[in-house]
Amino acid sequence: MSLLAVENLEVRFDTADGEVCAVNDVSFSVEPGETLGIVGESGSGKSQVFFAVMGLLAANGRARGKVRFRDTDLLGMPVSQLNTIRGAHLSMIFQDPMTSLNPYLRVSKQMTEVLVQHQHKSEQDARRIAIELLERVQIPEAARRFDQYPHEFSGGMRQRVMIAMALLCQPDLLIADEPTTALDVTVQAQILDLLAQLRDTLNTAIILISHDFGVVAGLCERVAVMYAGRIVETAPVREIFYRPQHPYTRGLLQSLPRLDADDHQELPTIPGQPPNLQSLGEGCAFSERCPLVQPHCLTDRPLLRQIAEDHSKACHRDLAA
Amino acid sequence: MLAYAVRRLFGAIPTIFVIIAISFFMIRLAPGGPFSLERPLPANIMRNLEAIYHLDKPLMVQFWIYLQNLVQGNLGPSMVYRDLSVAEIIGSGLPVSIQFGGAAILLALVVGGVLGSYAALKQNQMSDYSVMAIAMVGITIPNFVMAPLLQLILGVELGWLPVGGWGEGAFRNKVLPVIALALPQVAVVARLTRGSMIEVLRTNPIRTARAKGLPERIVIGRHALRAALLPVVSYLGPAAAALLTGSVVIETIFGVPGVGRLFVQGALNRDYTLVMGTVILIACFIVIFNLLVDLIYGVLDPKVRYD
């Protein structure tokens, strides 16, 4: 049985200007110990999928579909019941470590409260476990710094604290929403190494959300590419890199800077803008920007279809490998 | 922190001096004086009285004498209640006002805080709108309307509580004035708390707290309330200074012997020294409570440093 299975998930937001469809018909699953990458640009709905999974959607957001974690459906579950799962078996860390911790509470309190809540540990036991985890995520002098406030830690250190906090109850699945985007490149590499190391030692499944293919490639086994609230291609990471089958995925990969590229060559980009999620047409959402667009792409939305073993895409065209 | 507090208190001395100077000359600009009665006193008695209270000397000299006494902690004798010193009069009214004001502030903080947080959690729902509508009523109805209404309903019609009077400080007699004093503050605190709570609930730390699976009561009580209370503390500091030094209207309507009534009586009677005494008292309270606000900020927000 899959650890997490999302089926036909839809997320809608009621706004003053009308309804926005942030996520449409998204389905995927994660197996125990697996590492899945979710790639997409800003506004592609990749974070909203997981806010829906975690019950963290904004007040004007509604999620429909099925989100099964093991054998329980998380959508529509009462918050009190959801609270026994999130933070314990299912954890999430966020994009901005500078603001994700509570500035008014000591790191110690923010960590021990998780163990007290979910595992009914005593304050002393909780402190001991939390300090061990801080050491594990390589916070220097963890015991001494344990009672400091978040503002006394650097950005990279705060993200390490967030990771340690998410792992306190040894969750089966860690959702990392752009965990390195706000950090500088060297710190980014350290955090990714740390996640890889933790996955290997703790056997925690990880979902890594990123707009950066490079980040995903280093850590993930499988990748799902999202565009305008839909998954447009999903495949093992090597497949995606060597045989991308969706024109959007190709565009993304071509716009990565390459070490072996000619210095004078301009970095390719995908022309145009992502579509407005309030007024999505009948056809393929990528058709406006697609170099391979055909007339029926504008009227007929392509569904996700299997094109090879473990490789699916939502595109009418068949590309040469 | 102690050094900071001491520095702030010394820094307030010029402020208080300016307040003293302005009110000293202003009260003397008002027509009449402490001894101008409906039936004028004989000229020689008037001269004697003025000599005793130094009112026959030039203004600057009077001011100088007042300051000299003040530095020695002497607020002087009352010019109207001739057997009592200003310090004695304030000393009898202040404990009463502090009791009333303190109770009202506490009520405002607790009831207003709870109502405001509740409304924030039910944002844009019926219960939110009802709480906010009641709060708006509490803010807009002036206390000289609200107080008699309370007296009429709870005192006269239902007969639950005494309409007024001090009753030697019995608890029953204190309930209505405290409620009347607290109602507008409850309303303001509820609105402030709701506004800042809504802001805070949208921030990332709250998202993190929810992702950790903490129950809503801990998310609100431990994670959101502190930040949400900061604007309330800024408001309550000066408000507390005003309430603790007495409310003119409430004390008059309910016959409460507090500082507010003294202040008004003093001004009407041209009791120069009593007015000066209450002005200095209120000024000191405002200085102290503003300092307290800054110190409480330091307790609530670990990023605040005093250096």
Side-chain angles (χ1 to χ4, degrees), chain A residues 8-224:
Chain A
N8 311 106
L9 182 71
E10 278 185 6
V11 177
R12 304 243 179 290
F13 290 96
D14 287 323
T15 69
D17 307 323
E19 195 175 58
V20 174
C21 312
V23 176
N24 296 294
D25 198 22
V26 163
S27 304
F28 64 91
S29 62
V30 182
E31 305 305 314
E34 193 190 13
T35 314
L36 173 69
I38 306 280
V39 179
E41 58 199 293
S42 308
S44 61
K46 56 193 191 305
S47 296
Q48 296 306 334
V49 169
F50 296 96
F51 288 154
V53 168
M54 295 290 290
L56 296 174
L57 286 177
N60 61 342
R62 293 276 168 279
R64 277 201 309 205
K66 267 216 172 78
V67 175
R68 274 191 299 106
F69 181 71
R70 296 184 185 287
D71 45 9
T72 46
D73 191 352
L74 298 183
L75 285 192
M77 182 184 268
V79 177
S80 55
Q81 208 183 334
L82 184 59
N83 278 341
T84 62
I85 296 175
R86 56 180 183 184
H89 306 292
L90 176 65
S91 293
M92 185 162 179
I93 58 174
F94 302 97
Q95 178 167 359
D96 191 353
M98 302 311 275
T99 60
S100 288
L101 292 163
N102 190 327
Y104 302 109
L105 294 176
R106 294 175 198 279
V107 165
S108 50
K109 188 74 198 172
Q110 299 189 50
M111 293 189 74
T112 54
E113 66 179 357
V114 179
L115 290 162
V116 171
Q117 179 63 35
H118 293 297
Q119 301 186 342
H120 312 290
K121 295 263 192 265
S122 70
E123 196 68 28
Q124 285 103 323
D125 284 353
R127 283 182 69 91
R128 186 177 44 74
I129 298 169
I131 292 175
E132 271 172 28
L133 257 167
L134 285 181
E135 279 163 357
R136 190 146 193 178
V137 299
Q138 294 143 32
I139 299 260
E141 299 182 81
R144 186 182 67 78
R145 306 199 61 179
F146 191 46
D147 284 312
Q148 290 184 339
Y149 287 97
H151 68 92
E152 296 170 84
F153 289 78
S154 68
M157 285 296 151
R158 283 187 222 183
Q159 195 60 294
R160 284 170 196 267
V161 171
M162 281 295 292
I163 292 171
M165 205 153 84
L167 296 176
L168 280 171
C169 299
Q170 293 166 308
D172 303 309
L173 174 61
L174 173 69
I175 299 167
D177 182 7
E178 307 232 20
T180 58
T181 304
L183 304 173
D184 60 54
V185 186
T186 45
V187 180
Q188 181 172 334
Q190 293 167 7
I191 295 286
L192 290 173
D193 283 348
L194 175 66
L195 284 176
Q197 206 183 315
L198 293 170
R199 175 200 52 193
D200 296 341
T201 52
L202 301 175
N203 197 34
T204 310
I206 296 178
I207 294 177
L208 181 69
I209 306 169
S210 181
H211 63 273
D212 185 342
F213 253 117
V215 166
V216 167
L219 195 67
C220 300
E221 298 153 36
R222 212 148 53 84
V223 183

Side-chain angles (χ1 to χ4, degrees), chain B:
Chain B
M1 198 161 103
L2 191 68
Y4 170 80
V6 171
R7 209 161 59 232
R8 277 280 300 271
L9 286 178
F10 276 104
I13 290 176
T15 315
I16 290 182
F17 174 79
V18 170
I19 293 169
I20 291 172
I22 291 175
S23 24
F24 185 90
F25 293 109
M26 262 176 61
I27 184 80
R28 279 164 178 75
L29 277 179
F35 311 116
S36 26
L37 306 173
E38 274 177 45
R39 200 147 36 121
L41 291 169
N44 53 343
I45 295 180
M46 194 70 165
R47 256 198 314 281
N48 281 341
L49 276 171
E50 288 189 336
I52 291 171
Y53 293 104
H54 310 291
L55 294 177
D56 52 345
K57 303 196 170 67
L59 268 183
M60 283 315 290
V61 177
Q62 288 184 34
F63 187 50
W64 180 240
I65 293 170
Y66 185 77
L67 284 183
Q68 278 180 324
N69 285 329
L70 188 62
V71 170
Q72 295 164 26
N74 182 3
L75 290 168
S78 164
M79 292 182 180
V80 175
Y81 308 101
R82 263 155 248 174
D83 296 336
L84 296 170
S85 72
V86 169
E88 281 167 346
I89 296 177
I90 290 179
S92 74
L94 189 58
V96 177
S97 286
I98 287 185
Q99 240 182 61
F100 275 80
I105 286 294
L106 208 65
L107 207 62
L109 188 62
V110 174
V111 179
V114 169
L115 281 182
S117 308
Y118 176 75
L121 288 173
K122 305 276 172 189
Q123 195 195 349
N124 297 338
Q125 294 172 26
M126 211 42 226
S127 35
D128 173 26
Y129 292 138
S130 349
V131 169
M132 282 307 107
I134 295 170
M136 190 47 100
V137 170
I139 292 172
T140 47
I141 295 187
N143 53 7
F144 56 82
V145 176
M146 184 59 89
L149 270 178
L150 287 173
Q151 286 178 321
L152 195 64
I153 296 168
L154 296 177
V156 178
E157 292 295 326
L158 298 172
W160 291 350
L161 294 162
V163 169
W166 179 227
E168 305 300 312
F171 179 78
R172 282 166 53 78
N173 292 58
K174 292 178 187 167
V175 176
L176 269 190
V178 166
I179 291 178
L181 199 57
L183 270 183
Q185 309 299 331
V186 170
V188 175
V189 170
R191 288 181 61 84
L192 276 175
T193 311
R194 173 184 181 269
S196 61
M197 185 62 94
I198 286 174
E199 292 280 307
V200 171
L201 286 178
R202 285 194 197 125
T203 59
N204 290 346
I206 300 306
R207 186 181 61 191
T208 307
R210 294 210 163 113
K212 288 197 288 188
L214 300 175
E216 201 64 8
R217 114 192 99 79
I218 291 184
V219 172
I220 303 293
R222 190 182 292 161
H223 286 265
L225 198 60
R226 232 174 234 251
L229 277 184
L230 289 177
V232 179
V233 167
S234 316
Y235 166 78
L236 269 190
L243 284 186
L244 293 176
T245 50
S247 153
V248 178
V249 176
I250 299 296
E251 288 180 8
T252 309
I253 291 178
F254 290 97
V256 176
V259 180
R261 278 213 308 185
L262 295 177
F263 189 43
V264 176
Q265 282 167 5
L268 293 177
N269 292 336
R270 302 287 185 273
D271 192 341
Y272 293 158
T273 43
L274 183 55
V275 169
M276 291 304 299
T278 34
V279 164
I280 293 170
L281 177 79
I282 293 170
C284 289
F285 263 74
I286 289 177
V287 165
I288 289 169
F289 274 86
N290 275 314
L291 173 61
L292 274 182
V293 166
D294 290 344
L295 295 181
I296 292 175
Y297 256 81
V299 175
L300 289 178
D301 185 350
K303 272 183 277 185
V304 173
R305 286 282 163 272
Y306 302 105
D307 35 43

Side-chain angles (χ1 to χ4, degrees), chain A residues 242-297:
Chain A
Y242 294 114
R243 280 180 293 280
Q245 291 298 306
H246 194 285
Y248 176 62
T249 315
R250 284 203 171 171
L252 278 184
L253 286 168
Q254 274 161 10
S255 48
L256 284 181
R258 298 176 67 104
L259 274 180
D260 55 356
D262 182 355
D263 276 349
H264 305 292
Q265 203 182 330
E266 209 174 305
L267 195 64
T269 54
I270 305 174
Q273 295 287 323
N276 182 353
L277 293 174
Q278 250 168 282
S279 51
L280 283 177
E282 299 271 290
C284 173
F286 189 59
S287 56
E288 286 171 35
R289 305 167 75 183
C290 184
L292 306 171
V293 65
Q294 299 223 314
H296 71 284
C297 293

